[in-house]
């Protein structure tokens, strides 16, 4: 099956017909009945995925020789705000990654502090819902170690990522649960392909959550928030693209 035909489109296509599936059926997400069926299908898919797969298993890692010669950027390529431009001009010296919410020790980590933490380097494949894939090398601390440093509270259930960019005028955000948050391949990448992360790829820090599709890999991360529920954040679906109809759990 082509990656262009996502699980989301298959669910919608079942409602409005295969012909519409191939002609831009995403507009159907605006129909309340379709939205209701879509999200019900997502809950079913998530339950089946968890029951049938080992979510703690490692994603495949590749050799240097297998790295893609070109790794295209996607989504926002520059937040374009005065605040972000000032950070870029100052080489991110004033950047701070905040860790807040249900933690006993709130943090405000500089890029230098993040780079001084024990790092993981991994060469993995990025699979995008737009239908392309690329293999790249990523480097950064494991998210789980950052959460341990913040002393996550026992009532925390999800980790929300707040970002410097916007889509359609809405602040970008994304979220994962604790299974993915503490997966060893889930890292806060500050390096890509043996260089510092570039602006188009999400500088200075982006999430790499290797067991999920590309839209879950939030770029330009400025804040991490531990929460008990996703309700009340955005439209309560767990991410900006999810608010537009994408699945919250995009496991691969």
């Amino acid at each position: 099956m082509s990656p262009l035909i996502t699980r989301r489109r298959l669910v919608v296509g079942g409602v409005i017909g295969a012909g519409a599936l191939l002609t831009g059926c995403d507009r159907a997400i605006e129909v309340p009945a379709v939205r209701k069926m879509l999200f019900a299908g997502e809950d079913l898919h998530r339950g089946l995925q968890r029951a049938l797969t080992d979510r703690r298993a490692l994603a495949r890692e590749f050799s240097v020789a297998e790295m893609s010669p070109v790794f295209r950027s996607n989504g926002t390529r520059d937040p374009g705000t005065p605040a972000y431009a000032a950070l870029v001009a100052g080489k991110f010296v004033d950047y701070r990654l905040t860790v807040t919410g249900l933690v006993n020790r709130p943090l405000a980590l500089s890029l230098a502090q993040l780079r001084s933490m024990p790092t993981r380097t991994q060469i993995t494949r990025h699979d995008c819902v737009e239908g392309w894939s690329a293999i790249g090398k990523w480097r950064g601390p494991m998210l789980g170690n950052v959460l341990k440093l913040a002393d996550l509270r026992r009532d925390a259930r999800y980790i929300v990522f707040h970002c410097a960019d916007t889509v359609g005028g809405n602040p970008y955000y994304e979220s994962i649960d604790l299974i993915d948050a503490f997966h060893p391949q889930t890292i806060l990448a500050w390096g890509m392909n043996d260089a510092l992360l570039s602006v188009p790829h999400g500088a200075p820090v982006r999430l790499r959550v290797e067991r999920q599709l590309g839209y879950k890999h939030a770029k330009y991360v400025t804040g991490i928030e531990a929460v008990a529920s996703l309700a009340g954040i955005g439209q309560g679906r767990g991410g900006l693209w999810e608010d537009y109809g994408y699945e919250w759990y995009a496991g691969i």
Side-chain angles (χ1 to χ4, degrees):
M1 180 182 295
S2 167
L4 287 171
I5 305 179
T6 64
R7 289 184 295 272
R8 175 173 61 93
R9 290 191 173 192
L10 287 174
V11 173
V12 175
V15 179
I16 62 177
L21 174 64
L22 300 177
T23 57
C25 70
D26 286 353
R27 292 182 180 179
I29 195 66
E30 299 172 3
V31 180
V34 174
R35 288 179 63 87
K36 182 177 181 181
M37 181 170 290
L38 171 64
F39 294 142
E42 176 191 343
D43 291 340
L44 174 61
H45 165 261
R46 192 188 314 170
L48 288 172
Q49 183 91 10
R50 289 185 174 184
L52 298 176
T53 63
D54 179 4
R55 292 186 56 207
R56 294 177 175 81
L58 295 178
R60 179 183 173 186
E61 297 192 18
F62 298 81
S63 69
V64 171
E66 295 173 294
M67 291 171 58
S68 300
V70 176
F71 197 119
R72 62 185 288 189
S73 62
N74 65 312
T76 302
R77 289 167 174 80
D78 187 332
T81 65
Y84 184 79
L87 288 175
V88 174
K91 299 183 178 179
F92 298 105
V93 170
D94 294 328
Y95 169 82
R96 295 294 183 273
L97 174 67
T98 61
V99 184
T100 61
L102 300 178
V103 297
N104 293 315
R105 189 183 303 114
L107 304 173
L109 301 171
S110 68
L111 184 57
Q113 287 175 308
L114 285 170
R115 293 181 63 188
S116 71
M117 295 180 66
T119 61
R120 177 182 172 90
T121 300
Q122 56 201 32
I123 301 176
T124 54
R125 189 180 66 209
H126 182 98
D127 293 310
C128 182
V129 294
E130 295 172 353
W132 58 270
S133 298
I135 296 172
K137 181 189 292 188
W138 307 95
R139 185 180 182 189
M142 289 189 291
L143 173 61
N145 287 342
V146 174
L147 296 176
K148 290 175 183 177
L149 186 63
D151 192 12
L152 199 66
R153 284 173 36 179
R154 297 185 66 179
D155 49 343
R157 294 293 180 270
Y158 301 94
I159 305 300
V160 180
F161 302 88
H162 300 283
C163 306
D165 57 329
T166 62
V167 174
N170 298 307
Y172 198 94
Y173 77 101
E174 197 39 271
S175 67
I176 57 177
D177 63 16
L178 297 189
I179 297 177
D180 276 319
F182 284 94
H183 190 284
Q185 290 174 313
T186 299
I187 67 174
L188 296 172
W190 50 258
M192 177 186 176
N193 293 351
D194 297 319
L196 292 178
L197 203 62
S198 68
V199 169
H201 286 287
V205 173
R206 73 174 295 169
L207 174 68
R208 293 300 305 177
V209 54
E210 303 297 354
R211 294 298 307 278
Q212 298 212 38
L213 290 171
Y215 68 85
K216 297 294 289 188
H217 300 224
K219 303 197 297 186
Y220 313 109
V221 177
T222 59
I224 296 172
E225 181 182 7
V227 300
S229 169
L230 297 174
I233 303 174
Q235 295 183 27
R237 298 300 309 172
L240 186 61
W241 285 120
E242 289 86 333
D243 289 342
Y244 286 119
Y246 280 53
E247 296 173 352
W248 174 79
Y249 183 68
I252 53 177

